[in-house]
Amino acid sequence: MPKKILIVDDEEHIRFLYSEELAEEGYQVITAESGFRLLERIEEEKPDLVVLDIKMVDFNGLDILQDIRNKYYDLPVILCTAYDTFKEDMKSIAADHYVIKSFDLTELKSRIAQALDSGLTE
Amino acid sequence: MQVREINPEGVTEADVVIGIPSYNEAANIAFPTLKANEGLIRYFGKRRSVIINCDNNSDDDTPNVFLATATDVPKICLLTEPGVRGKGNNLRNLFRKALELGARSVAVVDADLKSITPQWIKHLAEPLDNDFGFVTPLYVRHKYDGTITNSIAYPLTRCLYGRRVRQPIGGDFGFSGNMAEIFNLANHWSPYVGNFGIDIWMTTLAMNHSIPICQSFMGRPRIHKPKAAEHTSGALFREVVGAVFEMMIPYAPFWKRIRHSRPTSIYGFGLGESEMPPPVNVNQAALYDRMAEGFKTCLDLWREIFSDDVYGQILDARSASLDRFDFPIRTWVRVLFETAVAFKKSPAQDRDRLLEALAPLYYGKTLSFVRKTERMTIQQTEEFIENECVVFEENKPYLVERWPL
């Protein structure tokens, strides 16, 4: 069964790019364009991992991260951002990883693989 | 263990317990006691609660100062038997008493705290109502406050047990009644744990019993009796690091299977802007001298403990003058790993000697850390520490390969 990844980003081209590339890696990808009713979406879809944009027009990704963590403390979350200033906010330490947005998804793919790994040796 | 109990109001049951361990804190204990009282009244007013001072028979009348502090919440004092000292021995009495009272939530705060607010009580105890079993504090600390945490306790426990708990020896904790039972029944106890090793012992037990852990944001910096990095006491270093190494032995089957770490839940954001911590000044020359002292007294033991590679790197570090000094993180990681292996192989009576030989290298690592981060902000330093943690995790196979069966 492929692992399910939820991409949360308000930029359509980013959702498209991530969906295409991650689907090629064998993941099942679903998307959301905002943080609106995101917890309900997570409850319904039960993703294995969330890729979360920090700066969306109507939502602060770090607040969403906090909401996710309060309810699903074992759900891996990777933060995506154009700038690394978000690290000044202590909430950011609740994320599994962060990646700087880029059209080269090598780093993101590597972080996703690591976060989905159980962390245990066989 | 004999315990003397002073329970003026005859408390026999409590839902919420606040524990304040102490030794000779008569000048300080009234303040956290008053804040604990305020926190209990304000946030847990409908529950039965009690404040417990666990004391090592202080010479300065700490228990009487505690009992004389005017509070609405009843108070109990537990005294270790004469001659028994140590924070761990105090908390052991608290675990037992919390179980006896049927407590559902227990919070522990240090007796010398100057910055505690009533909200700290809420933030340490409230997550226990939401399925968490163990709560560690999260404060903004000065980059040079807590160097044992930054160089050893945080990166090593994170690397070993796969949980990112930023303040594993923060001094202030919350735990559930179930967790108190786990602490009370734990087989492993030692002089390290009976003293300052108790904090890392509790955190390690919580991690290894798969207890849901959260980090609770305290909002204010932890201000207590400060100590500069070069004045870290030998006993504190020995007891904390000794407890870390000791716990590695029974839990080896668990940590050997863990490849990388995961974040831990956060509780308590929304307190507004956090206050900046007070400055901590570091005397770099004193750190250098304390490291150099080790080259006079510990070389033979280092030669015995460390691989040729690591021993050579230590000698290289020594050859640099203070203004060019560097102790590479990879060297430090391997120093810790190889000392942990030597600790495991050594009989109990030889282990203090190993920890004493590690201390000068810790001062060298601390000096290197100070030099590399002196122009950094607190946040940049946090990132620097995170990158060091990655080096610990990347080098973990080195430890696993060398760990004796």
Side-chain angles (χ1 to χ4, degrees):
Chain A
M1 187 110 155
K3 296 281 188 186
K4 193 189 277 188
I5 296 177
L6 171 60
I7 310 281
V8 187
D9 199 304
D10 60 353
E11 292 180 82
E12 189 179 357
H13 71 280
I14 294 282
R15 294 198 302 275
F16 180 76
L17 172 72
Y18 286 12
S19 299
E20 290 281 298
E21 292 240 2
L22 295 176
E24 268 182 36
E25 296 286 313
Y27 298 117
Q28 183 187 348
V29 183
I30 53 175
T31 62
E33 61 185 36
S34 77
F36 181 65
R37 297 181 67 189
L38 193 69
L39 292 183
E40 288 173 34
R41 186 85 193 277
I42 290 171
E43 186 64 38
E44 287 161 16
E45 299 275 3
K46 303 202 179 341
D48 297 294
L49 180 144
V50 177
V51 176
L52 178 63
D53 181 23
I54 290 183
K55 217 165 190 174
M56 292 180 278
V57 174
D58 295 324
F59 290 89
N60 177 342
L62 293 178
D63 291 338
I64 298 173
L65 169 66
Q66 182 61 15
D67 291 341
I68 294 174
R69 272 284 167 267
N70 284 342
K71 197 164 178 197
Y72 304 97
Y73 46 79
D74 273 338
L75 176 62
V77 179
I78 296 178
L79 293 176
C80 283
T81 175
Y83 309 99
D84 66 0
T85 49
F86 73 92
K87 284 179 276 180
E88 286 163 17
D89 189 324
M90 282 183 82
K91 286 188 197 112
S92 65
I93 70 169
D96 283 66
H97 301 289
Y98 63 86
V99 292
I100 303 295
K101 274 187 178 177
S102 160
F103 290 114
D104 177 356
L105 300 196
T106 310
E107 171 77 4
L108 177 63
K109 288 174 189 172
S110 155
R111 292 304 189 186
I112 288 173
Q114 189 181 347
L116 288 173
D117 184 281
S118 67
L120 299 177
T121 53
E122 297 306 317
Chain B
M1 187 162 58
Q2 285 185 335
V3 184
R4 189 158 76 90
E5 178 174 323
I6 307 167
N7 187 349
E9 297 179 54
V11 177
T12 56
E13 290 179 318
D15 301 314
V16 185
V17 169
I18 306 301
I20 308 179
S22 63
Y23 177 61
N24 285 345
E25 296 290 357
N28 301 309
I29 197 166
F31 185 72
T33 305
L34 289 170
K35 295 300 166 188
N37 178 61
E38 276 181 63
L40 287 169
I41 299 293
R42 192 182 302 173
Y43 302 110
F44 301 96
K46 291 182 179 162
R47 303 198 202 172
R48 297 167 302 175
S49 47
V50 63
I51 307 172
I52 301 181
N53 170 219
C54 326
D55 186 78
N56 288 144
N57 277 293
S58 295
D59 310 315
D60 70 350
D61 220 19
T62 301
N64 285 331
V65 173
F66 168 76
L67 290 170
T69 303
T71 59
D72 303 301
V73 174
K75 298 188 287 294
I76 296 175
C77 202
L78 302 173
L79 302 172
T80 50
E81 57 188 298
V84 175
R85 297 269 164 82
K87 180 178 178 181
N89 290 319
N90 275 334
L91 289 190
R92 205 176 193 187
N93 289 339
L94 179 70
F95 304 147
R96 185 191 51 75
K97 190 65 191 174
L99 287 174
E100 195 181 301
L101 295 168
R104 293 182 57 201
S105 310
V106 182
V108 175
V109 294
D110 275 347
D112 66 344
L113 280 174
K114 308 283 184 204
S115 58
I116 180 174
T117 67
Q119 273 183 318
W120 285 30
I121 302 302
K122 175 178 187 268
H123 282 228
L124 290 171
E126 199 172 71
L128 303 166
D129 293 337
N130 296 306
D131 297 334
F132 289 106
F134 190 65
V135 183
T136 62
L138 199 54
Y139 331 90
V140 179
R141 295 181 81 165
H142 187 273
K143 56 189 177 181
Y144 304 140
D145 178 26
T147 44
I148 295 180
T149 297
N150 293 342
S151 294
I152 303 174
Y154 171 51
L156 194 49
T157 51
R158 166 179 163 157
C159 152
L160 289 169
Y161 306 111
R163 298 297 300 265
R164 297 177 203 161
V165 174
R166 184 65 186 86
Q167 298 294 338
I169 54 171
D172 312 307
F173 293 94
F175 52 87
S176 63
N178 289 341
M179 194 74 233
E181 191 158 13
I182 291 171
F183 291 147
N184 203 42
L185 294 174
N187 293 324
H188 178 84
W189 193 262
S190 73
Y192 301 131
V193 180
N195 288 279
F196 287 118
I198 186 68
D199 292 0
I200 196 68
W201 178 86
M202 291 196 293
T203 305
T204 306
L205 276 178
M207 288 175 173
N208 283 283
H209 283 78
S210 300
I211 299 297
I213 301 175
C214 87
Q215 304 181 88
S216 205
F217 191 58
M218 299 286 113
R220 291 196 77 193
R222 186 172 207 272
I223 301 171
H224 59 122
K225 287 184 291 194
K227 279 201 175 74
E230 68 272 19
H231 293 134
T232 298
S233 87
L236 176 69
F237 179 85
R238 194 172 57 245
E239 288 156 13
V240 172
V241 182
V244 174
F245 287 166
E246 263 185 348
M247 299 296 275
M248 288 173 70
I249 297 169
Y251 290 116
F254 176 64
W255 61 254
K256 282 165 95 174
R257 296 178 62 229
I258 291 172
R259 283 201 302 254
H260 57 76
S261 65
R262 297 233 32 233
T264 302
S265 292
I266 310 278
Y267 179 88
F269 284 110
L271 291 175
E273 287 299 306
S274 53
E275 195 179 312
M276 282 297 109
V280 176
N281 296 314
V282 176
N283 182 336
Q284 294 193 26
L287 284 171
Y288 189 80
D289 289 346
R290 294 196 73 167
M291 181 208 62
E293 193 64 32
F295 281 82
K296 293 181 192 153
T297 56
C298 302
L299 262 185
D300 289 344
L301 189 52
W302 290 345
R303 175 70 276 183
E304 202 181 303
I305 299 168
F306 298 125
S307 60
D308 292 347
D309 184 32
V310 168
Y311 183 70
Q313 289 166 28
I314 292 169
L315 296 184
D316 285 349
R318 174 67 176 103
S319 62
S321 58
L322 171 58
D323 59 335
R324 302 179 74 86
F325 185 78
D326 179 31
F327 200 108
I329 181 61
R330 186 176 168 279
T331 304
W332 174 241
V333 170
R334 295 190 171 199
V335 160
L336 277 182
F337 287 173
E338 292 188 7
T339 310
V341 168
F343 188 96
K344 158 90 162 70
K345 289 177 179 170
S346 299
Q349 67 272 17
D350 290 348
R351 288 174 171 171
D352 278 357
R353 202 168 61 103
L354 291 174
L355 297 168
E356 280 155 19
L358 179 62
L361 300 173
Y362 158 74
Y363 289 116
K365 196 287 174 181
T366 302
L367 171 60
S368 179
F369 172 79
V370 169
R371 286 178 44 74
K372 286 173 183 164
T373 59
E374 59 189 339
R375 293 182 200 284
M376 292 185 189
T377 63
I378 290 176
Q379 186 51 46
Q380 287 166 335
T381 306
E382 278 299 303
E383 222 175 302
F384 181 88
I385 293 167
E386 287 300 298
N387 290 334
E388 291 199 333
C389 288
V390 172
V391 180
F392 272 77
E393 292 184 25
E394 285 171 351
N395 279 273
K396 188 168 176 184
Y398 184 88
L399 171 65
V400 173
E401 282 163 23
R402 279 157 186 76
W403 190 257
L405 291 174

